[in-house]
Amino acid sequence: MTPEMLTVCAVGVALAGLILTSHRSLIQRLERLEDRFARLEDRLAVVERAQAHLAGLLEGLREVISGHRAA
């Protein structure tokens, strides 16, 4: 094998290693991002439930103050 051919093979192996390492790192980062989004969705669901509860309380207070039901 000629020195040029060895150089081409070495560069190919080095590039393959770099690509695989980068890909693995990207996959790990995406998994962490998915976990963060899942936690954010859970927190948002809690906020939505609390907001719905407060809206119901305000509706009841409005009925008591005005004396009739809102549409």
Side-chain angles (χ1 to χ4, degrees):
M1 211 184 274
T2 65
E4 291 84 11
M5 189 63 114
L6 286 174
T7 302
V8 169
C9 289
V11 169
V13 169
L15 286 175
L18 180 64
I19 290 169
L20 290 175
T21 302
S22 297
H23 184 262
R24 192 174 309 129
S25 174
L26 179 62
I27 294 298
Q28 290 172 349
R29 291 176 69 189
L30 286 174
E31 288 172 352
R32 286 194 309 264
L33 187 60
E34 287 174 353
D35 292 341
R36 289 179 70 187
F37 271 119
R39 288 193 312 268
L40 184 60
E41 287 174 342
D42 293 342
R43 291 175 65 191
L44 182 59
V46 170
V47 171
E48 287 174 336
R49 283 192 297 272
Q51 188 272 333
H53 178 72
L54 288 174
L57 290 175
L58 286 174
E59 187 65 33
L61 182 60
R62 187 179 299 126
E63 290 174 11
V64 168
I65 291 172
S66 67
H68 64 281
R69 291 195 111 149

